[in-house]
Amino acid sequence: GPGCAPASHSVNLFIIKLDASVSYSDVTCYGANDGTIIITDFAGGSGNYEYRVDGFGWQSKSQYKNLAPGVYNVEMRDLLIPVCVRELANITIIQPDPLCATAEPQDATCLGNDGTISIINPDGGSGSYEYSMNGGVWTTSGYFTGLVPGNYQIEMRDLNVIDCKKDLGFVTIAMPIPVTAKVDKKDVTCYSGSDGQIIITDAKNGSGVYEFNIGAGWSSQVVFNDLTAGTYSVQMRDFNAKACVQDLGTVTVGEPAPLSAILSYKDISCYGAKDGSITIQSPE
């Protein structure tokens, strides 16, 4: 029968049923095809055995390596009685999902040494990971800081299967274009007045959020009112990178000359007369 036990013949012969233990290991990394099946604790029959795993013929070895994911029917038979076959197990070998992640850069500011790379959405493998930049030290932190502009190669590996690696490719850290803006002004309308203006338009580059300074502290306003005549130094900075200050130059708020005229007069010629006069003339 399938177990080949017991069997009776003309002589008093009792054959112990074939038996063995089967252990296995799954594929360690997607596509690695390194699954194993190991047969141990053989017993029964004549004591001499052969084994078969799906895809392989009968053979005396009891360890099968380099197996791809799949279902394997494991059998043994008595070498001296080949028709005596025992099915030991149906083994399903699986593999983990492929490693994957996204390496997301943050460009350097004008300082030139504060770029970053963040590893987001890691998946696959055993669920625990390490990362390396440009072939350097492996770390569980998925955050690289203090980077200057350039290209960086990022790799990830399974923390529990360190030979299982994934190249996430090259990531570029760039130096941003300096922030810039257009500066206009309106002069004071009357000598010694204080209704001058500085107007900032067309601000661009950087993060898109800015602050400005004309000598009285940083502000998000783009129109500075109530200015007296004078020369102002105008600066701009990225609100999200405040160490990056850009000089927009100087602007002079002017004022008109003070009003002036030549005043002359003529006295009354006689008491009670009405021939006095005042004359106002523009200066030459």
Side-chain angles (χ1 to χ4, degrees):
C4 302
S8 299
H9 301 280
S10 58
V11 295
N12 187 18
L13 178 63
F14 184 81
I15 302 176
I16 301 173
K17 182 179 180 180
L18 297 177
D19 199 10
S21 297
V22 179
S23 60
Y24 70 97
S25 63
D26 292 324
V27 173
T28 59
C29 183
Y30 183 83
N33 295 345
D34 59 354
T36 64
I37 292 176
I38 300 175
I39 305 168
T40 58
D41 302 328
F42 334 105
S46 68
N48 298 290
Y49 314 108
E50 286 184 319
Y51 312 93
R52 182 169 64 183
V53 171
D54 282 354
F56 301 91
W58 289 102
Q59 49 194 306
S60 59
K61 73 173 185 178
S62 59
Q63 296 187 10
Y64 296 83
K65 300 179 179 179
N66 303 319
L67 301 179
V71 178
Y72 294 88
N73 183 35
V74 183
E75 298 173 290
M76 70 182 296
R77 73 178 181 182
D78 194 314
L79 179 62
L80 303 182
I81 312 174
V83 296
C84 187
V85 178
R86 173 78 188 274
E87 182 178 304
L88 298 175
N90 274 297
I91 301 298
T92 300
I93 290 179
I94 62 174
Q95 68 179 348
D97 291 334
L99 297 177
C100 64
T102 300
E104 187 172 89
Q106 177 66 51
D107 290 338
T109 68
C110 66
L111 300 178
N113 63 350
D114 56 356
T116 65
I117 296 175
S118 302
I119 311 300
I120 60 175
N121 301 324
D123 199 7
S126 70
S128 298
Y129 313 104
E130 289 184 315
Y131 310 95
S132 175
M133 181 176 69
N134 290 344
V137 176
W138 291 93
T139 172
T140 56
S141 172
Y143 188 55
F144 299 94
T145 62
L147 305 180
V148 299
N151 294 321
Y152 297 86
Q153 185 178 24
I154 306 299
E155 289 183 287
M156 70 181 296
R157 72 180 182 185
D158 193 319
L159 179 63
N160 297 307
V161 187
I162 60 174
D163 289 331
C164 186
K165 299 177 182 179
K166 171 70 174 180
D167 185 355
L168 300 180
F170 282 93
V171 178
T172 299
I173 298 292
M175 178 76 83
I177 301 172
V179 294
T180 185
K182 182 180 178 182
V183 181
D184 294 310
K185 55 96 176 186
K186 288 185 178 180
D187 291 334
V188 173
T189 57
C190 186
Y191 180 76
S192 295
S194 59
D195 60 350
Q197 289 183 320
I198 290 177
I199 304 151
I200 299 171
T201 58
D202 199 25
K204 57 188 176 182
N205 302 329
S207 70
V209 185
Y210 313 106
E211 289 183 316
F212 305 92
N213 187 358
I214 64 168
W218 291 98
S219 170
S220 61
Q221 70 187 84
V222 293
V223 178
F224 295 86
N225 296 306
D226 304 324
L227 303 180
T228 59
T231 299
Y232 297 84
S233 178
V234 184
Q235 293 179 307
M236 172 185 186
R237 71 181 181 186
D238 191 321
F239 180 79
N240 295 306
K242 293 183 178 180
C244 293
V245 177
Q246 187 70 23
D247 187 358
L248 299 180
T250 58
V251 60
T252 298
V253 175
E255 64 180 347
L259 297 176
S260 63
I262 298 174
L263 179 66
S264 62
Y265 65 94
K266 182 179 179 182
D267 292 334
I268 297 172
S269 60
C270 181
Y271 179 80
K274 296 182 178 179
D275 59 353
S277 65
I278 297 174
T279 304
I280 302 173
Q281 294 178 307
S282 298
E284 294 297 330

